[in-house]
Amino acid sequence: MKSARGGLLKGILRCPVCGGETTEDGSTIACLSCGTAYGETDGLPDLIPPDASSLKLSEREHYSENVDYYLEMHSTWCGSPFYRHYHRSFLANFRSLPAGSLILETGCGLGHDGLELLRAGYRVIETDIAPGQLAQARELHLAAGYADVSAHLLADAERLPFASASLDGALAVASLHHLPDPLVALGEMRRVLRPGGMLVLGTEPNNWQNRTIYPVGKAFLKAVRCVKGGPVGGEEMVSEADKLTEGFSAPQLASLLREAGFGAIELQPAGYLSAAVFFLSTELSQMVGRPLRLFPLERVFIPLDEILGKLPLFSRYPWHWNAAARAIA
Ligand SMILES: [Zn+2]
């Protein structure tokens, strides 16, 4: 466990059930207040509260069981100009933090954004609810030589196992909309950030697409399934939380951030036409069962999307949101 934790967690691990201080005995972490004991899953410290909801357990299972599918998808995504441009954009929000700052990523998945933070000189704590994904993230970071500056543990984003005001930055990429109560998760990230600490959200869906394009897309896939028979490509690869999500409008996201205790809130539009092409190529790839890449088209649209994001009406209706905000004391 020591090699995975790299000493970053020294003194800041708290019980996710009661917030009490913890003690370690071998591979067990125990709460000094309520006595709850936390063991390991697949060699990863498991700080997920024992009473996790069935939705969380279903997410844990979905993302762990389908890790090969997500690895394959990422191998296509990481070459996408849309994906690269907007991931670089949200990570750039951390530039004001000095090297060596301690950044938490919740819902880290396969750990590729965390790797970029490590390359930029930050110390990184990665948490996820799915052991299958987190194990991949740990492998990625250890293989790149970041064992001493990274830590990986299983945790619930709505009940973070860290002391208040113990971190400099927090990142959540395309994960806030998977949570039953985004306000609770944002409140937890605010709590663990020191006053003035930086929160960054990456590629959270805007809600208009969930009301327009996605239902049309789903109906289309259903029609194809009727003709073809059986599931269509990645159709079955949608997690329970993804089925429930609505995404966020600009006023909703800004108000959630304010209510959770953040200031200096900046909503950053992340993609219009380039995002639509990315979405279309992902869906088509799944339908035909092989990667269809429309990268040149994405590349052409990115500069146009950057201009659209600065126009008054358009700025409220990007495909996704990136966001940056500061924790208020
Ligand atoms: Zn406790």
Side-chain angles (χ1 to χ4, degrees), residues 88-105:
R88 268 201 303 269
S89 301
F90 66 68
L91 290 172
N93 287 300
F94 284 117
R95 271 186 200 144
S96 59
L97 296 183
S101 296
L102 187 54
I103 299 178
L104 163 72
E105 184 183 11

mmCIF file of all heavy atoms in Angstrom, residues 88-105:
data_model
loop_
_atom_site.group_PDB
_atom_site.id
_atom_site.type_symbol
_atom_site.label_atom_id
_atom_site.label_comp_id
_atom_site.label_asym_id
_atom_site.label_seq_id
_atom_site.Cartn_x
_atom_site.Cartn_y
_atom_site.Cartn_z
ATOM 1 N N ARG A 88 -6.789 20.052 -22.670
ATOM 2 C CA ARG A 88 -5.705 21.016 -22.410
ATOM 3 C C ARG A 88 -6.273 22.308 -21.829
ATOM 4 O O ARG A 88 -5.692 22.896 -20.928
ATOM 5 C CB ARG A 88 -4.950 21.334 -23.714
ATOM 6 C CG ARG A 88 -3.751 20.435 -23.960
ATOM 7 C CD ARG A 88 -2.775 21.097 -24.921
ATOM 8 N NE ARG A 88 -3.398 21.453 -26.189
ATOM 9 C CZ ARG A 88 -3.438 20.665 -27.268
ATOM 10 N NH1 ARG A 88 -2.854 19.485 -27.237
ATOM 11 N NH2 ARG A 88 -4.022 21.063 -28.372
ATOM 12 N N SER A 89 -7.437 22.740 -22.338
ATOM 13 C CA SER A 89 -8.041 24.002 -21.887
ATOM 14 C C SER A 89 -8.397 23.963 -20.405
ATOM 15 O O SER A 89 -8.086 24.886 -19.670
ATOM 16 C CB SER A 89 -9.314 24.317 -22.666
ATOM 17 O OG SER A 89 -9.046 24.412 -24.029
ATOM 18 N N PHE A 90 -9.054 22.866 -19.970
ATOM 19 C CA PHE A 90 -9.436 22.893 -18.541
ATOM 20 C C PHE A 90 -8.229 22.697 -17.641
ATOM 21 O O PHE A 90 -8.155 23.280 -16.563
ATOM 22 C CB PHE A 90 -10.615 21.963 -18.212
ATOM 23 C CG PHE A 90 -10.397 20.481 -18.359
ATOM 24 C CD1 PHE A 90 -9.549 19.793 -17.523
ATOM 25 C CD2 PHE A 90 -11.110 19.759 -19.319
ATOM 26 C CE1 PHE A 90 -9.374 18.423 -17.637
ATOM 27 C CE2 PHE A 90 -10.949 18.391 -19.447
ATOM 28 C CZ PHE A 90 -10.075 17.720 -18.609
ATOM 29 N N LEU A 91 -7.252 21.911 -18.081
ATOM 30 C CA LEU A 91 -6.052 21.718 -17.250
ATOM 31 C C LEU A 91 -5.269 23.017 -17.104
ATOM 32 O O LEU A 91 -4.634 23.260 -16.076
ATOM 33 C CB LEU A 91 -5.161 20.613 -17.843
ATOM 34 C CG LEU A 91 -5.737 19.192 -17.730
ATOM 35 C CD1 LEU A 91 -4.874 18.201 -18.510
ATOM 36 C CD2 LEU A 91 -5.838 18.749 -16.266
ATOM 37 N N ALA A 92 -5.355 23.884 -18.117
ATOM 38 C CA ALA A 92 -4.627 25.167 -18.071
ATOM 39 C C ALA A 92 -5.109 26.045 -16.919
ATOM 40 O O ALA A 92 -4.400 26.944 -16.477
ATOM 41 C CB ALA A 92 -4.792 25.896 -19.398
ATOM 42 N N ASN A 93 -6.308 25.783 -16.403
ATOM 43 C CA ASN A 93 -6.808 26.563 -15.264
ATOM 44 C C ASN A 93 -5.940 26.398 -14.014
ATOM 45 O O ASN A 93 -6.006 27.217 -13.103
ATOM 46 C CB ASN A 93 -8.244 26.145 -14.923
ATOM 47 C CG ASN A 93 -9.241 26.655 -15.941
ATOM 48 O OD1 ASN A 93 -9.360 27.861 -16.141
ATOM 49 N ND2 ASN A 93 -9.937 25.743 -16.607
ATOM 50 N N PHE A 94 -5.167 25.321 -13.949
ATOM 51 C CA PHE A 94 -4.325 25.096 -12.766
ATOM 52 C C PHE A 94 -3.011 25.875 -12.823
ATOM 53 O O PHE A 94 -2.237 25.823 -11.876
ATOM 54 C CB PHE A 94 -4.014 23.596 -12.611
ATOM 55 C CG PHE A 94 -5.169 22.792 -12.073
ATOM 56 C CD1 PHE A 94 -5.745 21.786 -12.837
ATOM 57 C CD2 PHE A 94 -5.679 23.031 -10.803
ATOM 58 C CE1 PHE A 94 -6.809 21.037 -12.352
ATOM 59 C CE2 PHE A 94 -6.748 22.291 -10.306
ATOM 60 C CZ PHE A 94 -7.306 21.288 -11.074
ATOM 61 N N ARG A 95 -2.768 26.572 -13.947
ATOM 62 C CA ARG A 95 -1.466 27.228 -14.121
ATOM 63 C C ARG A 95 -1.078 28.160 -12.982
ATOM 64 O O ARG A 95 0.096 28.363 -12.720
ATOM 65 C CB ARG A 95 -1.443 28.008 -15.446
ATOM 66 C CG ARG A 95 -0.977 27.136 -16.597
ATOM 67 C CD ARG A 95 -0.827 27.948 -17.851
ATOM 68 N NE ARG A 95 -0.859 27.072 -19.019
ATOM 69 C CZ ARG A 95 -1.408 27.397 -20.173
ATOM 70 N NH1 ARG A 95 -1.971 28.579 -20.336
ATOM 71 N NH2 ARG A 95 -1.392 26.551 -21.183
ATOM 72 N N SER A 96 -2.101 28.739 -12.308
ATOM 73 C CA SER A 96 -1.775 29.678 -11.223
ATOM 74 C C SER A 96 -1.254 28.956 -9.975
ATOM 75 O O SER A 96 -0.737 29.593 -9.066
ATOM 76 C CB SER A 96 -3.002 30.518 -10.874
ATOM 77 O OG SER A 96 -4.059 29.655 -10.482
ATOM 78 N N LEU A 97 -1.393 27.644 -9.903
ATOM 79 C CA LEU A 97 -0.863 26.899 -8.752
ATOM 80 C C LEU A 97 0.608 26.564 -8.996
ATOM 81 O O LEU A 97 0.971 26.094 -10.073
ATOM 82 C CB LEU A 97 -1.629 25.585 -8.536
ATOM 83 C CG LEU A 97 -3.113 25.663 -8.163
ATOM 84 C CD1 LEU A 97 -3.658 24.251 -7.923
ATOM 85 C CD2 LEU A 97 -3.327 26.522 -6.936
ATOM 86 N N PRO A 98 1.473 26.804 -7.986
ATOM 87 C CA PRO A 98 2.893 26.481 -8.177
ATOM 88 C C PRO A 98 3.137 24.980 -8.273
ATOM 89 O O PRO A 98 2.330 24.183 -7.766
ATOM 90 C CB PRO A 98 3.558 27.063 -6.922
ATOM 91 C CG PRO A 98 2.465 27.228 -5.931
ATOM 92 C CD PRO A 98 1.186 27.395 -6.683
ATOM 93 N N ALA A 99 4.238 24.606 -8.920
ATOM 94 C CA ALA A 99 4.614 23.188 -8.993
ATOM 95 C C ALA A 99 4.711 22.636 -7.578
ATOM 96 O O ALA A 99 5.085 23.363 -6.648
ATOM 97 C CB ALA A 99 5.954 23.051 -9.713
ATOM 98 N N GLY A 100 4.347 21.386 -7.408
ATOM 99 C CA GLY A 100 4.378 20.764 -6.079
ATOM 100 C C GLY A 100 3.057 20.879 -5.351
ATOM 101 O O GLY A 100 2.844 20.223 -4.330
ATOM 102 N N SER A 101 2.136 21.714 -5.860
ATOM 103 C CA SER A 101 0.812 21.816 -5.231
ATOM 104 C C SER A 101 0.132 20.456 -5.246
ATOM 105 O O SER A 101 0.365 19.646 -6.151
ATOM 106 C CB SER A 101 -0.068 22.818 -5.997
ATOM 107 O OG SER A 101 0.480 24.112 -5.929
ATOM 108 N N LEU A 102 -0.719 20.227 -4.242
ATOM 109 C CA LEU A 102 -1.396 18.933 -4.109
ATOM 110 C C LEU A 102 -2.796 19.031 -4.707
ATOM 111 O O LEU A 102 -3.630 19.807 -4.236
ATOM 112 C CB LEU A 102 -1.460 18.552 -2.621
ATOM 113 C CG LEU A 102 -1.991 17.165 -2.265
ATOM 114 C CD1 LEU A 102 -1.241 16.059 -3.001
ATOM 115 C CD2 LEU A 102 -1.912 16.943 -0.752
ATOM 116 N N ILE A 103 -3.039 18.251 -5.767
ATOM 117 C CA ILE A 103 -4.321 18.298 -6.480
ATOM 118 C C ILE A 103 -5.040 16.954 -6.371
ATOM 119 O O ILE A 103 -4.436 15.897 -6.591
ATOM 120 C CB ILE A 103 -4.106 18.660 -7.972
ATOM 121 C CG1 ILE A 103 -3.452 20.047 -8.088
ATOM 122 C CG2 ILE A 103 -5.441 18.644 -8.725
ATOM 123 C CD1 ILE A 103 -3.161 20.478 -9.524
ATOM 124 N N LEU A 104 -6.324 17.023 -6.021
ATOM 125 C CA LEU A 104 -7.168 15.820 -5.955
ATOM 126 C C LEU A 104 -7.974 15.724 -7.241
ATOM 127 O O LEU A 104 -8.557 16.706 -7.691
ATOM 128 C CB LEU A 104 -8.145 15.945 -4.776
ATOM 129 C CG LEU A 104 -9.349 14.996 -4.786
ATOM 130 C CD1 LEU A 104 -8.915 13.565 -4.469
ATOM 131 C CD2 LEU A 104 -10.404 15.471 -3.779
ATOM 132 N N GLU A 105 -8.002 14.528 -7.831
ATOM 133 C CA GLU A 105 -8.952 14.302 -8.922
ATOM 134 C C GLU A 105 -9.972 13.269 -8.452
ATOM 135 O O GLU A 105 -9.614 12.145 -8.102
ATOM 136 C CB GLU A 105 -8.263 13.811 -10.208
ATOM 137 C CG GLU A 105 -9.303 13.690 -11.328
ATOM 138 C CD GLU A 105 -8.789 13.151 -12.659
ATOM 139 O OE1 GLU A 105 -7.648 12.657 -12.712
ATOM 140 O OE2 GLU A 105 -9.556 13.212 -13.632
#
